[in-house]
Amino acid sequence: MTDQTQPDAVLGGRVRLLQSVRGYRAGMDAALLAAACDAQPGERVLDLGCGPGAVMLAAAVRRPGAHFTGIEADPQALDLARANIDLNGLADRVEGLAGDVALPFSRLGLPRFDAALCNPPFFDDASALRGPAPEKTRAWMATDGLVAWTGYLLKAVRDGGTVTLIHRADRLADLLAGLTPRCGSIRIRPVQPRAASPASRVIVRAVRGGRAPLALLPPLVLHPDGEGKHTEAAEAILRDAAPLGWD
């Protein structure tokens, strides 16, 4: 740990995570994406834009038979991810590699993955929000656009493999437009702050080459109406490592 990082305990203390004090910090979205991972033993999973490793480490703890590779363009974030891999004793099946969605997947020299996880930057229009702090810009702004992220994922996953993303609910149409040229069997899980609130996030799971019809699943509600605590379903996912589930 340095004076630029601080440790966090996530997933009920199952994962220890060094994160930047001033830069982007993984939170609820990373926890939900990790819970959405349903990789089977022996499968290889890509975490695209892994940052400090929050998603792949929590997913690796949940899925002890799977192997995870994080790809990250920011050297400092990649250093943190590698430190967190060692901190959690997962170097035997989790790794962090330098990579960028602006470059072809083939540059990595890796075979296609069985599954991919991704929490892309939420904005690709600088006028859409007041500029974040410089340390957070890469995590919040997709300079190559969301289409670059979905395109990279489609090239990185084998036929029959899955792509799972979490994003803003108002970008659902863009997510589907990016995935549907090569994916089907799409399942969408809305995430609502409260039962009476519109969804703020969507978690989308697609199968490369899948042909089943799209399914809109019941939402995950994070908080009871009028209360700040988590619902039992959200608490089970965040603290007790319950899977998000795709049924």
Side-chain angles (χ1 to χ4, degrees), residues 105-116:
F105 170 73
S106 59
R107 290 276 190 94
L108 294 177
L110 298 174
R112 289 183 173 180
F113 289 82
D114 301 296

Side-chain angles (χ1 to χ4, degrees), residues 1 30 121 179 201 211:
M1 182 175 65
L179 293 171
R201 299 284 187 268
R211 296 186 178 183

Side-chain angles (χ1 to χ4, degrees), residues 1-10 16-27 30 51-54 80 84 87:
M1 182 175 65
T2 72
D3 55 1
Q4 285 80 44
T5 63
Q6 68 180 36
D8 292 312
V10 300
R16 293 175 294 167
L17 194 69
L18 294 175
Q19 300 202 78
S20 170
V21 172
R22 299 182 60 189
Y24 170 78
R25 298 178 61 79
L80 267 181
N84 283 323
L87 180 64

Side-chain angles (χ1 to χ4, degrees), residues 162-178:
T162 60
V163 173
T164 306
L165 305 97
I166 187 168
H167 212 284
R168 290 162 35 202
D170 63 353
R171 297 300 302 274
L172 177 58
D174 298 317
L175 282 176
L176 296 179

